[in-house]
Amino acid sequence: MIYILVQKITPRLRYIITTLFEERLGLRVQLTDNPAITLNTGDAGVSYGMVHKAMLSIPAQGLLFSDAIVSLNPVVERADGESMIFRCGGEGYDTPFDLFSAIFFLLSRYEEYLPFEPDIHGRFASHNAWSVGLSLECVPLADRWLLYLERLLNSRFPGLPITKASYRFLPTIDIDNAWAFKHKTLWRQAGGTARSLLRWDIEAVRRRISVVIAGTRDPFDTYDSIFTMNSAARSPLFFLLMSNKGTNNHNLSPQNRHWQQQIRSLASVTEVGIHPSYEAFLDEEAMKQEIDTLEAITGKKITSSRQHFLRLSLPITYRILSRCGIREDYSLGFADRIGFRAGTTHPFRFFDLEANCETGLMLYPLTIMDGTLLDYMQLSPQKAIEKITLLAENTRRHHGTFVSLWHNESLGEYRRWKGWREVYRKMNELCKE
C-alpha cells in the first residue's frame, strides 16, 4: 500500500494519482487529506504540497487544487539531470518541481483549451504546442518524469512492488479510399478519366483502363500484403471511412456491395473501427449514423475510432465519441509532425478539463504517420526509417505503446508512394514486440 497525503482531494488530483500510481506503477493507493496518518511497516507514502519526514515529499504548484482553466506557458528548467516545469517548493522537499502538475499539464492537453489559431482544417496546429516551441515533441516528457518519480520511490522505499507495462506495437491502417479505380460508379469512372485527361495524365488513364477493363490489381488493393508484412503480436487495426463521397471524403458509398464485402472480410480476421467523416468530429448525429452503418455491415459492436484528417476539438469530439459508445480513440497526434503530442508513449484516460472530471475514454497516442513522413517532412524512405527507429527506441525505453498509422494506398508502390512498402516492412521489423 502507498499512501498519498494531500492538502485537498480534487478531481484533477485524483485522476493523476490514479493514472500514475495505480495504472502505470501498479500500486495500491490510499488517497488521504488526514495529516495525522502514520505509515505501517512495509507501507510507503507520498506527501504532496507539504513536507512529511516519513514520506516522499513533492511540492505543489497549485494546478491540481484548482478547477479553473487559466493561461499557462510553463518555463523549462534543468535540475537533477531532468528538464522540468512548475519549479516550486524548497527545503525539505524531495523534488525541485511539481511533477504531478507537470504530467497533468501534458496528459490533459491543457493548452488545447486555451485560445489558439486553428489550422485550415480546424485543428489545434502543432506550431501552437508548447512542446513544439521548445523542440521537445519527440521526447516523452511525462514518461521521463514518471521514471524520475519511480527512482525516488525505489530509493526511499526499497522493495516497493512496482510493476511496469510491457512494450507494445499497434499497427493501424486508415482506409480513406478502398480502391483507386475498381468498383466505382460509371459516373465516377467518367469523372476521374476526364480529370486525368485535363491534366494530360495519360499514365493514370492507362492504369484505370488496365484495372477496370483488363482486371489487373488495383494499386490501393494492398490488404493481403498488409497482413503478410505484419509482424506484430496482434493483427493491424483498420479504421474505415463510412460516409458518402464529399469534398474531403473520397471513399465508396457504404451502400456499395463490393465495399461491404471488403469490410466483412476485414472484420472476420481483425478488429475494425470507425474512421469518422471529415464533418463528424463536431456532428454527433453524423458520427452515430456512421458507427451504426459500420455495425450493421459487420454485425459487431464498434468501440474504437480514429478521426479523419486527425480532426479533434477538445473536449467536444471526445464527448461525442463517448456518447456514441466509443471506448478507444487513436487520433492524438499531429498531422505534420511525428512524436508525442501528449508527452507520453502510453494509453491514458481522457480527462475533460471543462467538466473537471475523468472519463472512461482511452486515448492511444499516435506515434508516427506515413503522410507526415512523406508529405509534410518530405523524407526519403531511408530517412523515414531512421525517424521510425528513433521513436521506436524511445517507446521501448519507456515500456510504451508504438502506434503507427498507415494507409492502404501508401503500400501500393503507386506514384509518390514508390519505395514506401519497404518502409512499412522495415517498421514492422523494428517495432515488433
Side-chain angles (χ1 to χ4, degrees), residues 126-358:
S126 67
H127 65 258
N128 292 319
W130 169 84
S131 60
V132 170
L134 296 166
S135 300
L136 292 171
E137 69 271 18
C138 288
V139 180
L141 282 172
D143 296 347
R144 287 184 55 164
W145 290 331
L146 182 60
L147 284 177
Y148 174 65
L149 173 63
E150 184 182 337
R151 290 194 297 269
L152 293 174
L153 288 170
N154 281 325
S155 175
R156 188 67 176 270
F157 306 104
L160 197 61
I162 291 174
T163 58
K164 293 177 180 290
S166 298
Y167 165 79
R168 289 196 297 164
F169 172 41
L170 297 183
T172 68
I173 307 291
D174 285 358
I175 302 181
D176 297 342
N177 203 342
W179 296 282
F181 306 116
K182 277 173 54 174
H183 306 314
K184 306 291 178 74
T185 63
L186 182 61
W187 178 254
R188 287 187 68 175
Q189 296 286 9
T193 302
R195 285 190 295 273
S196 295
L197 289 171
L198 286 172
R199 296 192 300 266
W200 201 243
D201 189 351
I202 303 303
E203 180 193 353
V205 175
R206 287 174 177 166
R207 190 65 180 266
R208 184 183 295 274
I209 292 172
S210 176
V211 170
V212 176
I213 305 300
T216 60
R217 179 176 287 275
D218 189 282
F220 291 2
D221 186 0
T222 57
Y223 305 105
D224 290 342
S225 60
I226 289 171
F227 288 102
T228 300
M229 288 186 286
N230 179 63
S231 59
R234 56 176 277 183
S235 295
L237 169 56
F238 285 78
F239 294 102
L240 313 179
L241 187 64
M242 299 304 299
S243 69
N244 290 314
K245 188 177 184 304
T247 303
N248 293 295
N249 305 310
H250 297 147
N251 205 2
L252 296 172
S253 164
Q255 281 71 51
N256 183 294
R257 64 183 180 86
H258 300 285
W259 178 215
Q260 290 187 1
Q261 289 172 357
Q262 183 62 62
I263 292 170
R264 294 190 187 100
S265 176
L266 290 171
S268 69
V269 295
T270 192
E271 184 182 351
V272 298
I274 191 67
H275 194 39
S277 61
Y278 185 84
E279 300 79 13
F281 84 121
L282 292 177
D283 187 336
E284 185 169 346
E285 184 177 347
M287 182 82 75
K288 187 174 189 312
Q289 181 179 350
E290 292 167 23
I291 293 172
D292 288 346
T293 299
L294 184 55
E295 289 182 340
I297 294 172
T298 63
K300 296 182 177 181
K301 182 69 176 174
I302 300 301
T303 59
S304 59
S305 70
R306 168 160 319 106
Q307 301 306 295
H308 196 28
F309 281 68
L310 301 182
R311 297 187 93 198
L312 286 175
S313 179
L314 269 58
I316 300 172
T317 304
Y318 286 149
R319 289 176 178 173
I320 289 173
L321 289 172
S322 295
R323 289 196 292 265
C324 289
I326 297 299
R327 295 293 171 260
E328 299 176 352
D329 185 73
Y330 293 74
S331 311
L332 197 61
F334 291 122
D336 61 340
R337 295 177 193 270
I338 59 175
F340 310 105
R341 180 167 172 173
T344 184
T345 64
H346 289 261
F348 61 95
R349 288 172 298 111
F350 169 58
F351 186 91
D352 188 328
L353 205 58
E354 281 189 358
N356 198 36
C357 68
E358 60 186 69

